[in-house]
């Protein structure tokens, strides 16, 4: 592997992966292929704008001709696919765009991998495909039990990847990651939303009772895990990536407020997300056996993340002051306030 196409590389995890690869492998070249939806942002990659090992190509993964053109132009041997519609709440109001990108777009990349005989295809997927996990933890053999249009679309993409392995022996791997946090996460996802709201003394909206649990992992740990699977993973296999521990949302909110020295009165309960998955919990034994374990606990990851948003107002203020963001925020949050649940 020398010439990587990172699809969706201008988004949150994809851009951190580009940083990781260019810092780790001096002889690799990275081409970011990204549609630049509302979630794509070239500010995330500005550190590499003048690096001869990096190139950016704007394009849609659903556009087969453009995908082929870029793959051939840059002599790509490996695709790592981060490109997706990723926000569960948006999937409830616009499922069609999720099906297009997350399922059909994945198929377009797989077809190109097959036709051009690329060395490797890696699919970045999510723990959400296992559905909510009320007890225990899910290993890679657990059934797919999706519940939101987002997770159903991601599962559709995963199933296409496995179909290309079985039917055409394509050299594919899949990783299923838990919730990532860290630099460059678009502030509609809960942690950057709460941190930036708290910095501005604005309410932290909490869905339902706030007792839902997620495995919050540091994004650069996740990127190291993807790197390991890309280089050492067995084709046709799926690997879970997470810390293997869970934290309640309400505890995350309290931790952020304490770190920033802000009052708990900023917490504002709101109506729940429809179909809200109560808990995700991964078994990470399989990837541990391959040699990866996350470096940061969830609380260390939160601390690093809060510090990054404190230090990088230039990045998030631009987004949060834009009309697109403000309109989304108003439509999504206004009128949803409820009383705090009785404990
Ligand atoms: P993101 O929303 O921050 O970024 C997605 C990127 O994909 C953006 O740059 C966007 O412009 C691009 N994109 C969207 N549609 C495209 C299309 N049709 N063609 C080309 N580019 C397109 O997402 P993220 O949080 O960085 O997630 C990246 C991947 O990791 C996704 O596949 C997601 O399902 C998966 N994942 C995310 C998390 C998480 O906690 N954020 C956890 C596990 C897995
Ligand atoms: O588990 C991996 C998944 O994590 C990824 O596949 C998704 O792309 C990513 O968006 C994320 O999904 P979640 O739905 O878990 O993340 P989100 O940040 O939207 O919400 C995290 C938790 O916080 C969830 O229980 C809902 C809750 N929440 C969210 C928002 C936006 C709130 O309480 N208030 C909010 O305003």
């Amino acid at each position: 592997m020398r010439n990587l196409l990172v699809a969706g590389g201008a988004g949150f995890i994809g851009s951190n992966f580009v940083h990781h690869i260019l810092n780790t492998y001096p002889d690799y070249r990275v081409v970011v292929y990204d549609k630049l939806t509302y979630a794509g942002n070239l500010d995330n990659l500005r550190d590499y704008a003048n690096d001869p090992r990096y190139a950016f190509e704007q394009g849609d993964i659903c556009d087969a001709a453009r995908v082929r053109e870029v793959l051939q132009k840059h002599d790509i041997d490996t695709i790592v696919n981060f490109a997706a519609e990723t926000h569960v709440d948006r999937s409830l109001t616009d499922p069609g765009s999720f099906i297009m990108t997350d399922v059909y777009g994945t198929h377009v990349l797989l077809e190109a991998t097959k036709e051009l005989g690329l060395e490797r295809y890696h699919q970045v997927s999510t723990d959400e495909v296992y559905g909510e996990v009320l007890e225990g933890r899910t290993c890679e053999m657990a059934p797919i039990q999706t519940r939101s249009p987002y997770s159903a679309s991601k599962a559709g993409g995963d199933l296409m990847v496995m179909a290309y392995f079985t039917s055409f022996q394509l050299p594919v791997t899949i990783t299923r990651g838990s919730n990532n946090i860290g630099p460059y996460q678009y502030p509609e996802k809960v942690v950057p939303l709460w941190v930036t709201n708290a910095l501005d003394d604005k309410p932290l909206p909490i869905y339902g009772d706030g007792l839902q649990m997620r495995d919050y992992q540091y994004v650069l740990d996740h990127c190291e895990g993807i790197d390991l699977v890309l280089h050492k993973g067995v084709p046709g296999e799926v690997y879970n990536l997470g810390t293997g521990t869970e934290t309640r949302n309400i505890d995350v909110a309290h931790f952020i407020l304490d770190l920033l020295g802000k009052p708990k009165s900023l917490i504002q309960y709101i109506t729940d997300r429809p179909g809200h998955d109560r808990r995700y919990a991964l078994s990470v034994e399989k990837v541990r056996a391959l040699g990866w374990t996350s470096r940061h606990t969830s609380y260390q990851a939160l601390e690093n993340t809060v510090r990054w948003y404190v230090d990088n107002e230039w990045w998030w203020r631009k987004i949060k002051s834009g009309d697109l963001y403000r309109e989304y925020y108003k439509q999504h949050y206004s009128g949803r306030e409820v009383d705090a649940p009785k404990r």
Side-chain angles (χ1 to χ4, degrees):
M1 288 172 215
R2 287 288 179 277
N3 293 336
L4 269 58
L5 184 97
V6 180
F12 164 47
I13 311 177
S15 62
N16 277 284
F17 184 75
V18 171
H19 282 75
H20 168 77
I21 289 292
L22 291 175
N23 289 340
T24 310
Y25 301 101
D27 57 338
Y28 278 27
R29 290 184 61 248
V30 169
V31 176
V32 168
Y33 182 78
D34 198 295
K35 186 178 175 182
L36 295 183
T37 67
Y38 77 96
N41 184 349
L42 289 178
D43 281 349
N44 303 2
L45 295 162
R46 70 171 195 174
D47 295 353
Y48 293 99
N50 298 315
D51 190 321
R53 298 174 301 149
Y54 160 81
F56 176 75
E57 297 278 0
Q58 186 162 4
D60 190 330
I61 60 167
C62 299
D63 181 345
R66 176 83 178 123
V67 165
R68 266 175 201 66
E69 177 198 323
V70 170
L71 291 172
Q72 287 176 320
K73 174 177 165 193
H74 294 280
D75 199 17
I76 295 296
D77 49 52
T78 302
I79 295 179
V80 185
N81 181 27
F82 293 86
E85 288 295 337
T86 63
H87 191 35
V88 174
D89 293 319
R90 289 182 191 255
S91 83
L92 300 170
T93 50
D94 179 24
S97 63
F98 285 69
I99 297 165
M100 274 311 287
T101 292
D102 302 8
V103 186
Y104 183 75
T106 297
H107 145 80
V108 167
L109 295 179
L110 289 165
E111 268 299 298
T113 303
K114 174 159 79 79
E115 280 179 29
L116 299 178
L118 303 190
E119 273 177 41
R120 190 61 171 260
Y121 178 92
H122 181 77
Q123 177 79 351
V124 179
S125 187
T126 169
D127 60 0
E128 299 205 11
V129 299
Y130 301 120
E132 67 177 359
V133 184
L134 297 178
E135 281 176 10
R137 4 197 103 256
T138 40
C139 69
E140 291 79 355
M141 297 302 287
I144 301 290
Q145 289 185 312
T146 58
R147 288 159 41 91
S148 72
Y150 164 68
S151 56
S153 305
K154 289 296 293 182
D158 286 14
L159 293 173
M160 286 306 293
V161 173
M162 291 316 294
Y164 272 69
F165 174 73
T166 307
S167 308
F168 310 116
Q169 295 78 50
L170 227 64
V172 301
T173 39
I174 298 177
T175 46
R176 294 189 177 139
S178 64
N179 288 58
N180 282 226
I181 54 175
Y184 307 116
Q185 186 169 30
Y186 191 82
E188 68 182 355
K189 302 289 170 64
V190 79
V191 167
L193 180 96
W194 284 349
V195 174
T196 55
N197 278 16
L199 285 169
D200 282 343
D201 299 305
K202 293 200 171 125
L204 276 57
I206 299 205
Y207 295 166
D209 62 8
L211 302 182
Q212 309 83 7
M213 300 181 93
R214 297 288 186 268
D215 175 349
Y216 291 97
Q217 66 171 320
Y218 196 54
V219 62
L220 286 167
D221 291 345
H222 184 209
C223 292
E224 280 186 3
I226 295 170
D227 171 2
L228 181 75
V229 170
L230 188 61
H231 289 91
K232 301 260 170 65
V234 177
E237 292 290 319
V238 176
Y239 297 87
N240 291 340
L241 292 170
T243 70
T245 64
E246 299 79 51
T247 312
R248 300 186 314 177
N249 287 338
I250 187 67
D251 297 330
V252 171
H254 285 169
F255 187 76
I256 290 170
L257 291 170
D258 287 345
L259 271 182
L260 294 173
K262 301 287 183 176
K264 302 286 189 312
S265 56
L266 283 180
I267 286 177
Q268 173 63 65
Y269 286 91
I270 64 170
T271 54
D272 207 352
R273 168 188 282 172
H276 195 168
D277 287 341
R278 197 86 186 141
R279 175 177 179 262
Y280 302 128
L282 287 176
S283 159
V284 288
E285 295 311 313
K286 184 171 172 181
V287 74
R288 278 202 183 130
L290 201 65
W292 177 86
T293 187
S294 61
R295 292 178 194 268
H296 301 82
T297 64
S298 295
Y299 283 108
Q300 287 167 340
L302 274 168
E303 213 171 319
N304 287 358
T305 303
V306 170
R307 201 176 322 121
W308 190 84
Y309 283 85
V310 168
D311 292 343
N312 289 280
E313 283 199 25
W314 70 272
W315 185 84
W316 58 265
R317 278 223 184 273
K318 225 193 267 186
I319 296 172
K320 287 194 87 167
S321 59
D323 289 344
L324 203 65
Y325 185 88
R326 286 171 9 164
E327 189 50 35
Y328 167 80
Y329 201 89
K330 194 167 83 191
Q331 271 188 12
H332 187 65
Y333 288 103
S334 54
R336 289 180 65 178
E337 296 83 356
V338 294
D339 292 339
K342 305 231 177 338
R343 302 258 190 241

